[in-house]
Amino acid sequence: MATDTVPVTGWGRTAPTTARLIRPRDYAEAVAAVRDCGPRGGIARGLGRAYGDSAQNAGGHVFDMTGLDRVHVVDADDGTVLCDAGVSLHRLMQVLLPLGWFVPVVPGTRRVTVGGALAGDVHGSDHPVAGTFSRHVLSFELLTADGSVHTVPHGTPLFDATAGGLGLTGVILTVTLRLLPVETALMCVGTERARDLDEVMARLANAARRHRHATARIDLLARGAATGRGIVTHADHAPAAALRPGTRAWQEPPSFRPRRLPAPPAFVPAGLLGRTTAALAGELRHRRAARTRTELRPISTSFHPLDGVPHWNRLYGRRGLVHYQCLLGYGEEDTLRRIVRRLAEHRCPSFPAVLKRFGETGPGWLSFPAPGWSLALDLPAHLPGLAALLDALDEEVAAAGGRVCLAKDARLRPDLLTAMYPRLADFRRLRAELDPGGVFTSDLARRLGL
């Protein structure tokens, strides 16, 4: 079992802390690591795509679970897979697509492990149809604080606490997942240009009713009558009938072959993704976008364009980026308008700013999605006045009955947590019963008192 004492940070690279990184190679080593993690406890970590500090543990242990990466069984008839928690969604896509299956929920990156997807209870642009990742999990194996391994079925309190529980109930070892049937490795993608936020919301609502996937990229640097303008994108998995006879896609079985671009250098000037660059990019994107357009695109470029650039987070400079994602329920559209106006007035250069619609609340007690509007931003950490601005947005979101996404958070004040997550007391109670010694902990858990 490999161990190193190293700085550990989230994808945002804003608050590194030093921990002992342990890489178990099998289940027995994972059990030993949990039993020997010491007074500062430990937390599981996957591929490090959580933006904030949920997979950091200052002065303690961090369990790198990527060594447990076996796909055990794919039932191509029933549409299920049993795999280790360290398997990435990228690898699952490679394995499943030739068999006519796909992962049931696609987050913004495929560079996330199955265990991380469950611990964060990730969502995609098809939430009104598919819900969160945990909705498709039949069961999982969980290593708890006493060193025992439990099979946890869907619909139990421990399942609901672990889904979105950010690794604080234990270490997920394996997951049994129900899959989505597909006929091709292509998507039918449509785009629509909208002149302001109200038109974006109207077009997005219409697209979400008619298509499996729907999302909008809005321009936070547009002001005046154009405030909140954007591009609405909708998509559905392309059926076999959409392929032209004789083409490569028609002749070969579906496969997953994403392109890969060169990585940015280790040092990038802090101002590279600043207001000027964002304003030019937003103007160019809006002008180039057709009023309406539909085309076939590969799955890899439809869902994960940034994954083609290794270490793209370096583009924000040495101080990193802050990811901010909030949710406002339906009926709080005026609050959403005020927030977008405040961001526009502050000249926030987000690459990109993404608006989605969410459907029913999932089972996870700390899961982020609930019926309403989700707004997600990537902001340079060096932006003047950013901390005060986001604190003010937190208060406005909480007052409107909304919440921020804990799986991506790096800076939320703990006093707002109870208002945002009504099942928080249940989570704390179960965690205290399951892990009275606080074996599983993280920088986020200490910061928020989880």
Side-chain angles (χ1 to χ4, degrees):
M1 181 164 51
T3 63
D4 291 295
T5 300
V6 296
V8 180
T9 185
W11 191 245
R13 305 167 70 208
T14 55
T17 54
T18 300
R20 188 181 180 193
L21 191 68
I22 301 178
R23 301 177 181 88
R25 294 166 295 190
D26 55 36
Y27 302 150
E29 288 190 350
V31 171
V34 167
R35 286 178 171 165
D36 299 336
C37 64
R40 290 290 289 181
I43 193 71
R45 181 182 178 90
L47 289 167
R49 289 312 194 269
Y51 284 87
D53 52 2
S54 63
Q56 298 175 215
N57 183 23
H61 289 57
V62 171
F63 313 124
D64 180 344
M65 301 303 294
T66 56
L68 301 179
D69 61 351
R70 291 172 296 171
V71 178
H72 294 281
V73 180
V74 178
D75 188 331
D77 294 323
D78 190 45
T80 60
V81 61
L82 167 63
C83 64
D84 286 344
V87 173
S88 70
L89 297 189
H90 174 95
R91 184 167 175 222
L92 273 189
M93 292 174 188
Q94 289 179 317
V95 170
L96 297 173
L97 260 177
L99 302 175
W101 297 97
F102 197 58
V103 293
V105 170
V106 185
T109 175
R110 62 181 181 268
R111 302 291 184 182
V112 60
T113 62
V114 171
L118 178 57
D121 205 11
V122 298
H123 59 271
S125 55
D126 59 350
H127 186 271
V129 176
T132 58
F133 192 82
S134 65
R135 177 176 165 183
H136 307 273
V137 173
L138 302 178
S139 64
F140 56 85
E141 288 184 304
L142 187 72
L143 170 59
T144 53
D146 61 0
S148 60
V149 178
H150 306 262
T151 298
V152 183
H154 196 107
T156 60
L158 185 52
F159 186 104
D160 297 348
T162 303
L166 305 173
L168 297 175
T169 60
V171 178
I172 301 167
L173 296 177
T174 69
V175 174
T176 301
L177 183 66
R178 185 165 297 283
L179 306 171
L180 175 71
V182 295
E183 297 180 5
T184 73
L186 298 172
M187 303 293 295
C188 295
V189 181
T191 55
E192 305 173 16
R193 188 170 66 188
R195 63 181 178 272
D196 57 26
L197 182 61
D198 283 345
E199 186 177 353
V200 166
M201 289 192 289
R203 287 182 177 271
L204 183 56
N206 182 55
R209 287 190 293 267
R210 296 168 47 229
H211 301 278
R212 182 178 182 90
H213 296 271
T215 186
R217 294 180 61 157
I218 61 177
D219 183 357
L220 290 181
L221 292 177
R223 291 185 288 183
T227 298
R229 70 179 181 181
I231 310 298
V232 176
T233 302
H234 53 77
D236 298 284
H237 288 275
L243 304 182
R244 289 182 297 168
T247 62
R248 181 176 179 179
W250 183 79
Q251 294 172 334
E252 298 179 355
S255 62
F256 188 70
R257 294 190 294 263
R259 295 178 180 177
R260 187 178 177 89
L261 299 174
F267 172 72
V268 176
L272 178 64
L273 296 186
R275 288 169 173 149
T276 301
T277 308
L280 290 172
E283 185 66 28
L284 180 62
R285 184 186 308 118
H286 197 77
R287 288 178 179 271
R288 290 183 61 187
R291 292 191 180 276
T292 59
R293 179 174 58 190
T294 303
E295 59 187 341
L296 289 177
R297 296 182 190 171
I299 279 178
S300 58
T301 56
S302 297
F303 290 121
H304 311 116
L306 284 177
D307 279 349
V309 183
H311 305 292
W312 63 261
N313 55 344
R314 294 176 182 172
L315 294 171
Y316 285 83
R318 287 181 172 172
R319 293 182 61 181
L321 68 116
V322 174
H323 184 90
Y324 184 79
Q325 186 169 14
C326 65
L327 169 75
L328 294 163
Y330 296 125
E332 290 295 337
E333 286 76 13
D334 283 345
T335 305
L336 177 60
R337 293 184 185 98
R338 285 197 302 272
I339 287 175
V340 170
R341 281 198 299 270
R342 291 183 70 168
L343 292 166
E345 290 166 359
H346 198 80
R347 307 290 288 158
C348 287
S350 180
F351 293 87
V354 177
L355 186 67
K356 299 176 186 173
R357 286 173 63 89
F358 283 167
E360 294 181 4
T361 304
W365 291 345
L366 296 187
S367 294
F368 171 64
W373 302 91
S374 162
L375 179 64
L377 319 169
D378 285 342
L379 299 167
H382 65 267
L383 191 67
L386 180 61
L389 172 66
L390 296 184
D391 281 347
L393 295 188
D394 288 342
E395 294 174 0
E396 190 161 5
V397 168
R403 59 183 61 164
V404 300
C405 182
L406 299 183
K408 300 176 180 179
D409 177 61
R411 28 126 335 260
L412 179 69
R413 298 200 320 260
D415 57 291
L416 297 176
L417 196 61
T418 303
M420 292 182 174
Y421 287 90
R423 299 299 300 270
L424 178 62
D426 294 326
F427 178 82
R428 284 171 168 160
R429 189 179 305 113
L430 184 144
R431 185 169 175 242
E433 295 171 358
L434 189 67
D435 183 10
V439 170
F440 297 112
T441 190
S442 65
D443 291 351
L444 179 140
R446 294 190 186 95
R447 175 168 57 84
L448 295 180
L450 292 175

